[in-house]
Tab-separated table of all heavy atoms in Angstrom:
chain	number	residue	atom	x	y	z
B	40	ILE	N	-11.897	10.269	-40.959
B	40	ILE	CA	-11.906	9.547	-42.240
B	40	ILE	C	-10.701	9.994	-43.066
B	40	ILE	O	-10.418	11.187	-43.154
B	40	ILE	CB	-13.236	9.798	-42.994
B	40	ILE	CG1	-14.318	8.968	-42.311
B	40	ILE	CG2	-13.121	9.454	-44.480
B	40	ILE	CD1	-15.654	8.941	-42.989
B	44	GLU	N	-13.693	9.662	-52.254
B	44	GLU	CA	-13.866	9.403	-53.692
B	44	GLU	C	-14.558	10.617	-54.294
B	44	GLU	O	-15.698	10.929	-53.939
B	44	GLU	CB	-14.732	8.149	-53.895
B	44	GLU	CG	-15.079	7.887	-55.352
B	44	GLU	CD	-16.154	6.802	-55.513
B	44	GLU	OE1	-16.277	5.916	-54.650
B	44	GLU	OE2	-16.900	6.882	-56.517
B	73	LEU	N	-15.980	6.657	-63.098
B	73	LEU	CA	-15.132	6.557	-64.287
B	73	LEU	C	-15.840	5.612	-65.256
B	73	LEU	O	-15.852	4.404	-65.054
B	73	LEU	CB	-13.753	6.006	-63.900
B	73	LEU	CG	-13.034	6.801	-62.804
B	73	LEU	CD1	-11.727	6.120	-62.428
B	73	LEU	CD2	-12.801	8.243	-63.230
B	127	GLY	N	-8.972	-11.070	-62.483
B	127	GLY	CA	-8.030	-11.055	-61.368
B	127	GLY	C	-8.435	-10.173	-60.203
B	127	GLY	O	-7.668	-9.981	-59.263
B	136	ALA	N	-26.537	-0.491	-54.673
B	136	ALA	CA	-26.736	-1.462	-53.591
B	136	ALA	C	-28.206	-1.613	-53.179
B	136	ALA	O	-28.748	-2.718	-53.178
B	136	ALA	CB	-25.889	-1.064	-52.384
B	169	PRO	N	-24.766	-0.035	-41.015
B	169	PRO	CA	-24.309	-1.149	-40.160
B	169	PRO	C	-24.806	-2.511	-40.619
B	169	PRO	O	-24.098	-3.514	-40.484
B	169	PRO	CB	-24.882	-0.786	-38.774
B	169	PRO	CG	-25.073	0.693	-38.819
B	169	PRO	CD	-25.440	1.012	-40.234
B	178	MET	N	-16.483	-5.232	-47.327
B	178	MET	CA	-15.253	-4.685	-46.719
B	178	MET	C	-15.454	-3.252	-46.250
B	178	MET	O	-14.757	-2.773	-45.356
B	178	MET	CB	-14.078	-4.779	-47.706
B	178	MET	CG	-14.362	-4.127	-49.032
B	178	MET	SD	-13.033	-4.359	-50.229
B	178	MET	CE	-13.868	-3.731	-51.692
B	186	ILE	N	-21.902	13.803	-46.683
B	186	ILE	CA	-21.534	15.082	-47.303
B	186	ILE	C	-22.824	15.742	-47.791
B	186	ILE	O	-23.083	15.816	-49.002
B	186	ILE	CB	-20.560	14.836	-48.484
B	186	ILE	CG1	-19.370	13.968	-48.027
B	186	ILE	CG2	-20.055	16.157	-49.045
B	186	ILE	CD1	-18.416	13.585	-49.151
B	191	VAL	N	-22.471	21.613	-47.315
B	191	VAL	CA	-21.333	22.024	-48.151
B	191	VAL	C	-21.570	23.439	-48.676
B	191	VAL	O	-20.695	24.313	-48.579
B	191	VAL	CB	-21.132	21.024	-49.313
B	191	VAL	CG1	-20.121	21.540	-50.317
B	191	VAL	CG2	-20.695	19.662	-48.755
Side-chain angles (χ1 to χ4, degrees):
I40 285 187
E44 174 191 333
L73 305 176
M178 55 185 170
I186 308 175
V191 171

